[in-house]
Amino acid sequence: MDITQDPPRDSGMPDAARPAQRRILDAPTRLVHWALALSFAGAYVTAEQEAWHGLHISFGYTALGLALWRVLWGLLGPRRSRLSALLNRVRGAWQGRPEASRLLGAGQAAAALGLLGLALLSGFSGLALDQEWLGEALEELHEASGEIMLFVVLLHLGLLAGLSLMRRRNAFAPMFSGRQAGPGPDLVRHSLWPLALGIATLIAAFWAWQWNSGALARGEERHGGHERQSVHDGRHDKGEHHRGRSHDDDD
């Protein structure tokens, strides 16, 4: 028995009355897409909070790992999920007579490729900063990549909304269900849910390890350490000042 195949759908509705749909995205691609989106959102929100530094680092490592997996899957995965498919959509926009919907689709594909590249740039620069490989030389690059990535995310969403209006079809739906309304054969034969569950398990295991190792609270401890050091320094300065005054009185 092939466990990668979906169980037959039996909604009790006659085939003639059931809306035509076809599978266009596999489950691992969709899972990584949403996990990467949540990781970026978490890293962006916690970026400027010193007390949340451990969370920011954990979100960043998660995003970097997911981006690397997406590149690997884009090279070895199903044809529909490959990076070459996105590149073909970008190149195809300029073949023949330009059409608005085709241009929007090409822009959306270009935005997806750009987001993947920015996720890698932000992740590797954050890794270098965390490990102090190049000092603070990459700090501005790391921050700029995050701001640019936010802009491209908003552009990506806007292009999808434009496609939905122009084609009168929800362009967001396939990333949730993996299916697209309309007749035709499935472009992806199997959903590959076992692989998606394996990826989810690895993500959960990484966060459990971060929790148990205390990495998530690293920012709080470091922040508290700075406060304790400042208080200690203040008391030390007061003590020195008091001893100085006592010495002056003795003179």
Side-chain angles (χ1 to χ4, degrees), residues 21-191:
Q21 290 185 335
R22 56 178 181 163
R23 187 188 299 116
I24 65 171
L25 285 175
D26 57 80
T29 299
R30 290 182 281 131
L31 173 69
V32 170
H33 173 273
W34 290 115
L36 185 56
L38 290 174
S39 298
F40 167 71
Y44 189 88
V45 169
T46 57
E48 300 300 328
Q49 302 295 327
E50 181 64 31
W52 295 348
H53 183 73
L55 278 173
H56 176 75
I57 295 298
S58 298
F59 278 124
Y61 282 150
T62 304
L64 178 59
L66 291 168
L68 289 172
W69 185 93
R70 184 63 184 90
V71 171
L72 181 63
W73 193 241
L75 297 175
L76 304 176
R79 182 176 302 177
R80 179 72 179 180
S81 299
R82 293 187 182 181
L83 300 179
S84 58
L86 294 174
L87 289 171
N88 290 336
R89 289 174 59 186
V90 175
R91 289 195 296 260
W94 311 106
Q95 297 176 358
R97 184 178 180 180
E99 297 179 1
S101 61
R102 194 191 304 172
L103 291 175
L104 284 176
Q108 185 269 334
L113 289 170
L115 285 173
L116 182 57
L118 287 168
L120 292 171
L121 177 62
S122 180
F124 278 120
S125 59
L127 173 64
L129 286 171
D130 185 46
Q131 300 299 323
E132 299 181 352
W133 289 339
L134 298 174
E136 301 297 323
L138 295 176
E139 185 172 0
E140 292 186 3
L141 176 63
H142 182 66
E143 293 179 356
S145 63
E147 297 298 332
I148 296 173
M149 193 170 179
L150 177 62
F151 171 78
V152 180
V153 166
L154 297 176
L155 176 63
H156 176 64
L157 295 175
L159 289 170
L160 284 174
L163 278 173
S164 298
L165 293 174
M166 185 166 294
R167 296 177 178 176
R168 298 181 180 179
R169 184 174 62 196
N170 190 348
F172 297 90
M175 197 54 72
F176 289 96
S177 65
R179 295 183 175 275
Q180 185 180 72
D186 289 342
L187 301 181
V188 175
R189 293 183 58 189
H190 308 301
S191 289

Side-chain angles (χ1 to χ4, degrees), residues 227-243:
E227 288 184 344
R228 288 193 295 271
Q229 182 66 30
S230 298
V231 172
H232 174 76
D233 291 344
R235 291 176 179 173
H236 178 74
D237 292 342
K238 288 181 180 179
E240 290 292 338
H241 179 67
H242 177 72
R243 286 194 294 272

Side-chain angles (χ1 to χ4, degrees), residues 1-33:
M1 179 178 179
D2 187 356
I3 62 173
T4 63
Q5 294 188 15
D6 292 335
R9 294 179 298 161
D10 186 8
S11 61
M13 183 184 299
D15 292 340
R18 184 181 299 144
Q21 290 185 335
R22 56 178 181 163
R23 187 188 299 116
I24 65 171
L25 285 175
D26 57 80
T29 299
R30 290 182 281 131
L31 173 69
V32 170
H33 173 273

